[in-house]
Amino acid sequence: MSTDLTPLFAPEGVAVIGASRQSGKLGAAMARSLAPFPGARALVNARRPEPAEGVYASVAEAAAHTAGRLDLAVLCVPAAGCADALADAAAAGCRAALVCAGGFGEAGPEGEAHADALRLVAQETGIRLLGPNTSGFFAPHMGLTASFVPAAGQLPAGDIAVVAASGGVNHALSFDLVAAGNGISLGVGIGAGLGVTAADVLEHLAGDSRTTAVALHLETVPDGPRLVEAVRLVTGVKPVVALVVGRSDVGDFARSHTGALATSWRTTRAALRQAGAVVVDDERELVDALTALSRIQLRPHPDPGLAIVTAQAGPGLLLADRAGADSIRMPELAESTQRALGELLPPLTYQRNPVDTGRPAETFARVLDTTATDPAVDLLAVYALTEPDSVDLASAVQDAGLGTQSPAVVVVGGLPEDVAEQRARLHKAGIPALTGPASAANAVRALVTHARQRAVRTEGSADGSRQETAAAVPPGPLDEDAAKTFLASLGIRTPNRRACDTRADAHHALRLLGGPVAVKVLDAAILHKTEIGGVHLGVRTPDELDAALDAIGADRRYLVEAMAPAGVDLVLGARRDPVFGPVVLAGLGGTAAEALADVAIRLAPLSVAEAAGMPDDLAARALLDGWRGGPVLDRAEFGRVVAALGACLAASPDTAEIEINPLRLTAEGLIALDAVIVPTAPPAQDR
């Protein structure tokens, strides 16, 4: 099957199958939408052909009477007739098709049979199939509106593409983007995705020169690795902003501790973020992010500095407050910058960052330029009301060289008609213009996130630390001692310990290690030792050891292990996600982390640089940075441990999960206090 989507999104000609004269019919709506298309266009209705009116009984007949090749067939027929209509279109030379009808997989066994028939025709003929269950797509620059939503034909051409799981969301996001002053290069609703998937469209957009940024909306992911590679391909050349549905859908939890935390929604977001996408929480944030990223991007930087210039103090404070909440660095301006600002502004204004200008005057452009060119500033955010008698904001921004020389976002406040005029001028100059502090904060966060992600990608490529191969997990069930021995071979520290077959061995181990020690049952079949009374801590004397051994029970093997120093407990796991494959998960240890879902997730294998950034995702990350005199996490050491664990799982197809819980952060570094390695379940016939 061809991977080229040009026949779909840039056809020479279009055939509407099921075209109708009845205004309420889908075929009539689609024919009207396609009427302005400047290429060849043909109408097909097998039940009511009217050749004299240009409506033919088949695509082949229509093609014979149409000047130009019919590349795209738009099917506006019921589900039961779609497979035959698709076969007719393919036989007549169509290389792509859009199926709008519902009634397929979502409609039970009969609908699934229709879907299978449609899929089979596509596979046998090689025709590229978009849908079913979608309201279509549009390519405004071509005058092509293959959508039954009338207003879609009025969307202006631009440079933002929308790839949405839902045809309705495709339209909604496109309308919102246009309302924010943007234009659309391509808008696609994937629908059921029986043929063309989001990954296919992303690969197409990677080489589309008209598109400078992509909006991606996802509901389900049929092929995780393929999607990740497609996103990574696009983000190598242009930004992708992603919105994932499913925050409240926890799906089927795995039985393991890390599996319970790694929901599909979280894993999907983490995978997209790791592939370079800017992941947002809602459609408003998506629009603001794309308004900025389609026009400007920051250079790769691990921690870009933001400066704010505000002509009204209150809105500037709102923006500064949000930047702080988003952990965006706002450096104090250099003394030389502050001296220069002092010569331009009244003495009562604040000039260290944010810069409060008071009511803007003729010096406003120079204030913007002076602030933007401070050595610590990577991005400038500007807020001002439209006050033509005081300053022309769009002119001042351009006079300051913003957009061409210094990346900036501008917030314009005022009456709608005044704001629209200023925004249009700023956008024409390539400067993102927003309409409120919250929208500007969304844009700033997206720009900073994008710069940080590019820095991680650059660092990972430069240090060559992606671990594609690693030692595989030894075969067979592994008890805690064997699991820790294997972890030690990966460079992960473990406590001094002795595996004991008898009580006498345990007493000998206590004498060798000295107290205090931990005494545990040693059995590969027992994953949760504390739940059966199989763990006893702080054992110091032979009598305390006998009591612990009695509680664990006779005819057992024991692990006697030196107690670790105090610290902060983490949980670190590697497991096989059913959609994305090997993933690693890290969070604070204990039940609170699970209840709050305060975890960081990455696909494996991953680079040391990617792994080292995982703690930044945690809401409780302050506990790892010396909180109240506690230990400080060495990010490089953490990155090496996580990368090693991820590479190990990726290299071990017979291993389902590796968990270290807790992995304790101490003043001496990280140490694995418990370890579980779970093999994959054998096939049913082998059990």
Side-chain angles (χ1 to χ4, degrees), residues 67-128:
R69 186 178 61 211
L70 297 178
D71 289 319
L72 171 63
V74 179
L75 277 58
C76 302
V77 297
C82 280
D84 288 341
L86 185 65
D88 179 41
C94 292
R95 297 183 290 161
L98 165 65
V99 179
C100 299
F104 291 88
E106 79 283 2
E110 184 178 357
E112 189 58 49
H114 296 326
D116 290 341
L118 199 63
R119 192 182 291 111
L120 180 62
V121 172
Q123 291 172 347
E124 290 179 343
T125 63
I127 192 169
R128 299 311 307 268

Short mmCIF file of all heavy atoms in Angstrom, two decimals, residues 67-128:
data_model
loop_
_atom_site.label_atom_id
_atom_site.label_comp_id
_atom_site.label_asym_id
_atom_site.label_seq_id
_atom_site.Cartn_x
_atom_site.Cartn_y
_atom_site.Cartn_z
N ALA A 67 -13.10 15.85 -17.12
CA ALA A 67 -11.74 16.25 -17.51
C ALA A 67 -10.87 16.28 -16.25
O ALA A 67 -11.15 17.01 -15.32
CB ALA A 67 -11.77 17.63 -18.16
N GLY A 68 -9.84 15.49 -16.26
CA GLY A 68 -8.97 15.43 -15.08
C GLY A 68 -9.16 14.12 -14.33
O GLY A 68 -10.24 13.52 -14.35
N ARG A 69 -8.11 13.67 -13.68
CA ARG A 69 -8.13 12.40 -12.97
C ARG A 69 -8.89 12.53 -11.65
O ARG A 69 -8.72 13.50 -10.91
CB ARG A 69 -6.70 11.96 -12.69
CG ARG A 69 -6.57 10.57 -12.06
CD ARG A 69 -5.11 10.21 -11.88
NE ARG A 69 -4.44 11.14 -10.98
CZ ARG A 69 -3.15 11.46 -11.06
NH1 ARG A 69 -2.41 10.95 -12.03
NH2 ARG A 69 -2.61 12.30 -10.20
N LEU A 70 -9.71 11.55 -11.33
CA LEU A 70 -10.43 11.52 -10.06
C LEU A 70 -9.60 10.73 -9.05
O LEU A 70 -9.62 9.49 -9.03
CB LEU A 70 -11.81 10.89 -10.25
CG LEU A 70 -12.76 11.64 -11.19
CD1 LEU A 70 -14.08 10.89 -11.33
CD2 LEU A 70 -13.01 13.06 -10.68
N ASP A 71 -8.85 11.44 -8.22
CA ASP A 71 -7.99 10.78 -7.23
C ASP A 71 -8.74 10.37 -5.98
O ASP A 71 -8.45 9.34 -5.37
CB ASP A 71 -6.85 11.72 -6.82
CG ASP A 71 -5.84 11.93 -7.92
OD1 ASP A 71 -5.50 10.94 -8.60
OD2 ASP A 71 -5.38 13.07 -8.10
N LEU A 72 -9.69 11.21 -5.56
CA LEU A 72 -10.34 11.05 -4.26
C LEU A 72 -11.81 10.74 -4.43
O LEU A 72 -12.53 11.43 -5.16
CB LEU A 72 -10.18 12.34 -3.44
CG LEU A 72 -10.97 12.45 -2.13
CD1 LEU A 72 -10.53 11.38 -1.14
CD2 LEU A 72 -10.82 13.85 -1.53
N ALA A 73 -12.27 9.70 -3.74
CA ALA A 73 -13.69 9.37 -3.68
C ALA A 73 -14.21 9.69 -2.30
O ALA A 73 -13.64 9.26 -1.29
CB ALA A 73 -13.91 7.89 -3.99
N VAL A 74 -15.29 10.46 -2.22
CA VAL A 74 -15.94 10.79 -0.95
C VAL A 74 -17.22 9.98 -0.86
O VAL A 74 -18.16 10.21 -1.63
CB VAL A 74 -16.23 12.30 -0.85
CG1 VAL A 74 -16.92 12.61 0.47
CG2 VAL A 74 -14.94 13.09 -0.98
N LEU A 75 -17.25 9.00 0.05
CA LEU A 75 -18.36 8.07 0.16
C LEU A 75 -19.42 8.59 1.12
O LEU A 75 -19.15 8.75 2.32
CB LEU A 75 -17.87 6.69 0.63
CG LEU A 75 -17.30 5.74 -0.43
CD1 LEU A 75 -16.10 6.37 -1.15
CD2 LEU A 75 -16.92 4.41 0.19
N CYS A 76 -20.60 8.88 0.58
CA CYS A 76 -21.72 9.36 1.38
C CYS A 76 -22.86 8.35 1.28
O CYS A 76 -24.00 8.70 0.93
CB CYS A 76 -22.17 10.73 0.89
SG CYS A 76 -20.88 11.98 0.95
N VAL A 77 -22.55 7.09 1.55
CA VAL A 77 -23.53 6.01 1.47
C VAL A 77 -23.56 5.28 2.80
O VAL A 77 -22.62 5.38 3.60
CB VAL A 77 -23.17 5.03 0.33
CG1 VAL A 77 -23.22 5.73 -1.02
CG2 VAL A 77 -21.79 4.41 0.55
N PRO A 78 -24.63 4.52 3.10
CA PRO A 78 -24.70 3.79 4.37
C PRO A 78 -23.58 2.77 4.51
O PRO A 78 -22.97 2.34 3.53
CB PRO A 78 -26.08 3.11 4.30
CG PRO A 78 -26.87 3.92 3.33
CD PRO A 78 -25.87 4.41 2.32
N ALA A 79 -23.35 2.36 5.75
CA ALA A 79 -22.25 1.44 6.05
C ALA A 79 -22.31 0.17 5.22
O ALA A 79 -21.29 -0.33 4.74
CB ALA A 79 -22.24 1.10 7.54
N ALA A 80 -23.51 -0.37 5.02
CA ALA A 80 -23.65 -1.64 4.30
C ALA A 80 -23.18 -1.54 2.85
O ALA A 80 -22.79 -2.54 2.25
CB ALA A 80 -25.10 -2.10 4.35
N GLY A 81 -23.21 -0.35 2.27
CA GLY A 81 -22.82 -0.20 0.88
C GLY A 81 -21.43 0.35 0.67
O GLY A 81 -20.98 0.53 -0.48
N CYS A 82 -20.72 0.63 1.75
CA CYS A 82 -19.42 1.31 1.62
C CYS A 82 -18.36 0.44 0.95
O CYS A 82 -17.57 0.93 0.14
CB CYS A 82 -18.93 1.78 2.99
SG CYS A 82 -19.70 3.32 3.54
N ALA A 83 -18.30 -0.84 1.29
CA ALA A 83 -17.25 -1.70 0.72
C ALA A 83 -17.39 -1.79 -0.79
O ALA A 83 -16.40 -1.67 -1.53
CB ALA A 83 -17.30 -3.09 1.36
N ASP A 84 -18.64 -1.98 -1.27
CA ASP A 84 -18.84 -2.05 -2.72
C ASP A 84 -18.51 -0.72 -3.39
O ASP A 84 -17.91 -0.68 -4.47
CB ASP A 84 -20.28 -2.44 -3.03
CG ASP A 84 -20.57 -3.90 -2.70
OD1 ASP A 84 -19.60 -4.69 -2.57
OD2 ASP A 84 -21.76 -4.25 -2.56
N ALA A 85 -18.90 0.38 -2.74
CA ALA A 85 -18.61 1.70 -3.30
C ALA A 85 -17.11 1.96 -3.34
O ALA A 85 -16.59 2.54 -4.30
CB ALA A 85 -19.32 2.78 -2.49
N LEU A 86 -16.41 1.51 -2.32
CA LEU A 86 -14.97 1.69 -2.28
C LEU A 86 -14.30 0.87 -3.38
O LEU A 86 -13.37 1.36 -4.06
CB LEU A 86 -14.42 1.28 -0.91
CG LEU A 86 -12.93 1.54 -0.68
CD1 LEU A 86 -12.63 3.04 -0.69
CD2 LEU A 86 -12.47 0.92 0.64
N ALA A 87 -14.76 -0.35 -3.58
CA ALA A 87 -14.20 -1.19 -4.65
C ALA A 87 -14.46 -0.57 -6.02
O ALA A 87 -13.58 -0.59 -6.90
CB ALA A 87 -14.81 -2.59 -4.57
N ASP A 88 -15.64 0.00 -6.21
CA ASP A 88 -15.98 0.68 -7.46
C ASP A 88 -15.04 1.85 -7.70
O ASP A 88 -14.53 2.05 -8.81
CB ASP A 88 -17.44 1.14 -7.40
CG ASP A 88 -17.86 1.86 -8.67
OD1 ASP A 88 -17.49 1.42 -9.77
OD2 ASP A 88 -18.57 2.88 -8.55
N ALA A 89 -14.79 2.63 -6.65
CA ALA A 89 -13.91 3.80 -6.77
C ALA A 89 -12.49 3.37 -7.10
O ALA A 89 -11.82 3.96 -7.96
CB ALA A 89 -13.94 4.61 -5.49
N ALA A 90 -11.98 2.34 -6.42
CA ALA A 90 -10.62 1.87 -6.67
C ALA A 90 -10.48 1.34 -8.09
O ALA A 90 -9.48 1.60 -8.77
CB ALA A 90 -10.25 0.81 -5.66
N ALA A 91 -11.49 0.60 -8.57
CA ALA A 91 -11.44 0.05 -9.92
C ALA A 91 -11.43 1.15 -10.97
O ALA A 91 -10.87 0.97 -12.06
CB ALA A 91 -12.63 -0.88 -10.14
N ALA A 92 -12.02 2.30 -10.64
CA ALA A 92 -12.07 3.43 -11.58
C ALA A 92 -10.83 4.30 -11.51
O ALA A 92 -10.75 5.31 -12.22
CB ALA A 92 -13.32 4.26 -11.33
N GLY A 93 -9.89 3.95 -10.64
CA GLY A 93 -8.63 4.69 -10.59
C GLY A 93 -8.46 5.62 -9.42
O GLY A 93 -7.42 6.28 -9.29
N CYS A 94 -9.46 5.69 -8.52
CA CYS A 94 -9.30 6.52 -7.33
C CYS A 94 -8.22 5.92 -6.43
O CYS A 94 -8.16 4.70 -6.23
CB CYS A 94 -10.61 6.63 -6.56
SG CYS A 94 -11.89 7.57 -7.42
N ARG A 95 -7.38 6.78 -5.89
CA ARG A 95 -6.28 6.30 -5.04
C ARG A 95 -6.48 6.62 -3.56
O ARG A 95 -5.67 6.23 -2.72
CB ARG A 95 -4.97 6.92 -5.52
CG ARG A 95 -4.59 6.49 -6.94
CD ARG A 95 -3.25 7.07 -7.34
NE ARG A 95 -3.33 8.52 -7.52
CZ ARG A 95 -2.28 9.34 -7.51
NH1 ARG A 95 -1.06 8.83 -7.32
NH2 ARG A 95 -2.42 10.63 -7.70
N ALA A 96 -7.57 7.33 -3.25
CA ALA A 96 -7.86 7.67 -1.87
C ALA A 96 -9.36 7.80 -1.70
O ALA A 96 -10.09 8.04 -2.67
CB ALA A 96 -7.17 8.97 -1.47
N ALA A 97 -9.83 7.61 -0.46
CA ALA A 97 -11.26 7.70 -0.20
C ALA A 97 -11.51 8.23 1.20
O ALA A 97 -10.74 7.97 2.13
CB ALA A 97 -11.92 6.33 -0.37
N LEU A 98 -12.60 8.96 1.33
CA LEU A 98 -13.10 9.44 2.62
C LEU A 98 -14.44 8.77 2.86
O LEU A 98 -15.35 8.85 2.03
CB LEU A 98 -13.25 10.96 2.60
CG LEU A 98 -14.07 11.59 3.73
CD1 LEU A 98 -13.40 11.38 5.07
CD2 LEU A 98 -14.31 13.08 3.46
N VAL A 99 -14.58 8.10 4.00
CA VAL A 99 -15.83 7.44 4.36
C VAL A 99 -16.40 8.16 5.58
O VAL A 99 -15.81 8.13 6.66
CB VAL A 99 -15.62 5.95 4.67
CG1 VAL A 99 -16.94 5.30 5.08
CG2 VAL A 99 -15.04 5.24 3.47
N CYS A 100 -17.55 8.79 5.40
CA CYS A 100 -18.14 9.60 6.47
C CYS A 100 -19.12 8.82 7.33
O CYS A 100 -19.37 9.19 8.48
CB CYS A 100 -18.85 10.81 5.88
SG CYS A 100 -17.78 11.92 4.96
N ALA A 101 -19.70 7.76 6.82
CA ALA A 101 -20.80 7.08 7.49
C ALA A 101 -20.37 6.47 8.82
O ALA A 101 -19.21 6.13 9.04
CB ALA A 101 -21.35 5.98 6.58
N GLY A 102 -21.35 6.31 9.71
CA GLY A 102 -21.18 5.54 10.93
C GLY A 102 -21.80 4.17 10.73
O GLY A 102 -22.21 3.79 9.63
N GLY A 103 -21.88 3.40 11.84
CA GLY A 103 -22.49 2.08 11.76
C GLY A 103 -21.50 0.98 11.52
O GLY A 103 -21.85 -0.06 10.94
N PHE A 104 -20.26 1.16 11.95
CA PHE A 104 -19.22 0.13 11.75
C PHE A 104 -18.91 -0.56 13.08
O PHE A 104 -19.79 -1.11 13.71
CB PHE A 104 -17.99 0.76 11.10
CG PHE A 104 -18.24 1.17 9.67
CD1 PHE A 104 -18.74 2.43 9.37
CD2 PHE A 104 -18.00 0.29 8.62
CE1 PHE A 104 -18.98 2.80 8.06
CE2 PHE A 104 -18.25 0.65 7.31
CZ PHE A 104 -18.74 1.91 7.02
N GLY A 105 -17.67 -0.52 13.51
CA GLY A 105 -17.28 -1.26 14.71
C GLY A 105 -18.08 -0.88 15.94
O GLY A 105 -18.29 -1.71 16.83
N GLU A 106 -18.55 0.37 16.00
CA GLU A 106 -19.28 0.83 17.17
C GLU A 106 -20.71 0.29 17.22
O GLU A 106 -21.43 0.47 18.21
CB GLU A 106 -19.31 2.37 17.19
CG GLU A 106 -20.33 3.02 16.26
CD GLU A 106 -19.92 3.04 14.79
OE1 GLU A 106 -18.84 2.50 14.47
OE2 GLU A 106 -20.67 3.60 13.98
N ALA A 107 -21.15 -0.38 16.12
CA ALA A 107 -22.55 -0.80 16.00
C ALA A 107 -22.74 -2.30 16.24
O ALA A 107 -23.76 -2.86 15.85
CB ALA A 107 -23.09 -0.42 14.63
N GLY A 108 -21.78 -2.97 16.84
CA GLY A 108 -21.94 -4.38 17.14
C GLY A 108 -21.44 -5.28 16.04
O GLY A 108 -20.75 -4.84 15.10
N PRO A 109 -21.78 -6.58 16.10
CA PRO A 109 -21.26 -7.56 15.14
C PRO A 109 -21.54 -7.22 13.69
O PRO A 109 -20.68 -7.41 12.82
CB PRO A 109 -21.96 -8.86 15.56
CG PRO A 109 -22.29 -8.66 17.01
CD PRO A 109 -22.60 -7.21 17.16
N GLU A 110 -22.74 -6.74 13.38
CA GLU A 110 -23.06 -6.41 11.99
C GLU A 110 -22.18 -5.27 11.50
O GLU A 110 -21.65 -5.31 10.38
CB GLU A 110 -24.53 -6.04 11.86
CG GLU A 110 -24.95 -5.77 10.42
CD GLU A 110 -26.43 -5.44 10.29
OE1 GLU A 110 -27.13 -5.48 11.32
OE2 GLU A 110 -26.88 -5.15 9.17
N GLY A 111 -22.02 -4.25 12.34
CA GLY A 111 -21.16 -3.14 11.97
C GLY A 111 -19.71 -3.55 11.84
O GLY A 111 -18.99 -3.06 10.95
N GLU A 112 -19.27 -4.47 12.69
CA GLU A 112 -17.89 -4.95 12.59
C GLU A 112 -17.68 -5.70 11.29
O GLU A 112 -16.59 -5.62 10.68
CB GLU A 112 -17.58 -5.86 13.78
CG GLU A 112 -16.11 -6.26 13.89
CD GLU A 112 -15.18 -5.06 14.01
OE1 GLU A 112 -15.45 -4.17 14.84
OE2 GLU A 112 -14.20 -5.01 13.24
N ALA A 113 -18.69 -6.39 10.82
CA ALA A 113 -18.59 -7.08 9.53
C ALA A 113 -18.44 -6.07 8.39
O ALA A 113 -17.66 -6.27 7.46
CB ALA A 113 -19.82 -7.95 9.31
N HIS A 114 -19.18 -4.96 8.48
CA HIS A 114 -19.02 -3.90 7.48
C HIS A 114 -17.60 -3.34 7.52
O HIS A 114 -17.00 -3.06 6.47
CB HIS A 114 -20.03 -2.78 7.72
CG HIS A 114 -21.46 -3.20 7.58
ND1 HIS A 114 -21.87 -4.15 6.67
CD2 HIS A 114 -22.59 -2.77 8.23
CE1 HIS A 114 -23.18 -4.31 6.77
NE2 HIS A 114 -23.64 -3.48 7.70
N ALA A 115 -17.07 -3.16 8.72
CA ALA A 115 -15.71 -2.63 8.86
C ALA A 115 -14.69 -3.60 8.26
O ALA A 115 -13.75 -3.18 7.58
CB ALA A 115 -15.40 -2.38 10.34
N ASP A 116 -14.87 -4.89 8.52
CA ASP A 116 -13.94 -5.88 7.97
C ASP A 116 -13.97 -5.86 6.44
O ASP A 116 -12.92 -5.97 5.79
CB ASP A 116 -14.31 -7.28 8.47
CG ASP A 116 -14.01 -7.47 9.95
OD1 ASP A 116 -13.20 -6.67 10.49
OD2 ASP A 116 -14.58 -8.39 10.56
N ALA A 117 -15.17 -5.73 5.88
CA ALA A 117 -15.28 -5.69 4.42
C ALA A 117 -14.60 -4.46 3.84
O ALA A 117 -13.91 -4.53 2.81
CB ALA A 117 -16.76 -5.72 4.02
N LEU A 118 -14.77 -3.34 4.51
CA LEU A 118 -14.14 -2.10 4.06
C LEU A 118 -12.62 -2.20 4.14
O LEU A 118 -11.89 -1.84 3.22
CB LEU A 118 -14.65 -0.94 4.93
CG LEU A 118 -14.51 0.48 4.40
CD1 LEU A 118 -15.30 0.66 3.12
CD2 LEU A 118 -14.99 1.47 5.46
N ARG A 119 -12.16 -2.76 5.24
CA ARG A 119 -10.72 -2.91 5.45
C ARG A 119 -10.12 -3.85 4.40
O ARG A 119 -9.03 -3.60 3.89
CB ARG A 119 -10.47 -3.46 6.86
CG ARG A 119 -9.05 -3.40 7.33
CD ARG A 119 -8.90 -3.99 8.71
NE ARG A 119 -9.53 -3.20 9.75
CZ ARG A 119 -10.62 -3.58 10.43
NH1 ARG A 119 -11.22 -4.72 10.16
NH2 ARG A 119 -11.10 -2.81 11.37
N LEU A 120 -10.84 -4.91 4.06
CA LEU A 120 -10.35 -5.87 3.08
C LEU A 120 -10.20 -5.23 1.70
O LEU A 120 -9.20 -5.45 1.01
CB LEU A 120 -11.30 -7.06 3.01
CG LEU A 120 -10.91 -8.17 2.02
CD1 LEU A 120 -9.57 -8.79 2.40
CD2 LEU A 120 -12.00 -9.26 1.97
N VAL A 121 -11.18 -4.42 1.29
CA VAL A 121 -11.08 -3.75 -0.01
C VAL A 121 -9.86 -2.83 -0.03
O VAL A 121 -9.11 -2.78 -1.02
CB VAL A 121 -12.36 -2.96 -0.31
CG1 VAL A 121 -12.19 -2.11 -1.57
CG2 VAL A 121 -13.54 -3.91 -0.47
N ALA A 122 -9.67 -2.08 1.06
CA ALA A 122 -8.53 -1.17 1.11
C ALA A 122 -7.21 -1.93 1.00
O ALA A 122 -6.28 -1.50 0.31
CB ALA A 122 -8.59 -0.36 2.40
N GLN A 123 -7.13 -3.07 1.68
CA GLN A 123 -5.89 -3.86 1.65
C GLN A 123 -5.66 -4.44 0.26
O GLN A 123 -4.52 -4.47 -0.24
CB GLN A 123 -5.97 -4.98 2.69
CG GLN A 123 -5.92 -4.48 4.12
CD GLN A 123 -6.18 -5.60 5.13
OE1 GLN A 123 -6.64 -6.67 4.78
NE2 GLN A 123 -5.91 -5.31 6.40
N GLU A 124 -6.70 -4.92 -0.39
CA GLU A 124 -6.55 -5.57 -1.69
C GLU A 124 -6.26 -4.58 -2.81
O GLU A 124 -5.55 -4.91 -3.77
CB GLU A 124 -7.82 -6.37 -2.01
CG GLU A 124 -8.00 -7.61 -1.13
CD GLU A 124 -9.29 -8.36 -1.46
OE1 GLU A 124 -10.16 -7.75 -2.12
OE2 GLU A 124 -9.39 -9.53 -1.07
N THR A 125 -6.80 -3.38 -2.70
CA THR A 125 -6.65 -2.40 -3.79
C THR A 125 -5.55 -1.38 -3.53
O THR A 125 -5.07 -0.74 -4.47
CB THR A 125 -7.96 -1.64 -4.00
OG1 THR A 125 -8.28 -0.88 -2.81
CG2 THR A 125 -9.10 -2.59 -4.30
N GLY A 126 -5.15 -1.22 -2.26
CA GLY A 126 -4.13 -0.21 -1.94
C GLY A 126 -4.68 1.20 -1.83
O GLY A 126 -3.91 2.15 -1.63
N ILE A 127 -5.99 1.38 -1.95
CA ILE A 127 -6.56 2.72 -1.84
C ILE A 127 -6.43 3.22 -0.40
O ILE A 127 -6.61 2.47 0.55
CB ILE A 127 -8.05 2.70 -2.30
CG1 ILE A 127 -8.58 4.12 -2.48
CG2 ILE A 127 -8.92 1.92 -1.31
CD1 ILE A 127 -9.94 4.16 -3.17
N ARG A 128 -6.04 4.50 -0.22
CA ARG A 128 -5.87 5.07 1.11
C ARG A 128 -7.24 5.51 1.63
O ARG A 128 -7.95 6.29 0.99
CB ARG A 128 -4.92 6.26 1.10
CG ARG A 128 -3.50 5.94 0.64
CD ARG A 128 -2.89 4.71 1.34
NE ARG A 128 -2.95 4.74 2.77
CZ ARG A 128 -1.98 5.24 3.56
NH1 ARG A 128 -0.90 5.76 3.02
NH2 ARG A 128 -2.10 5.20 4.86
#
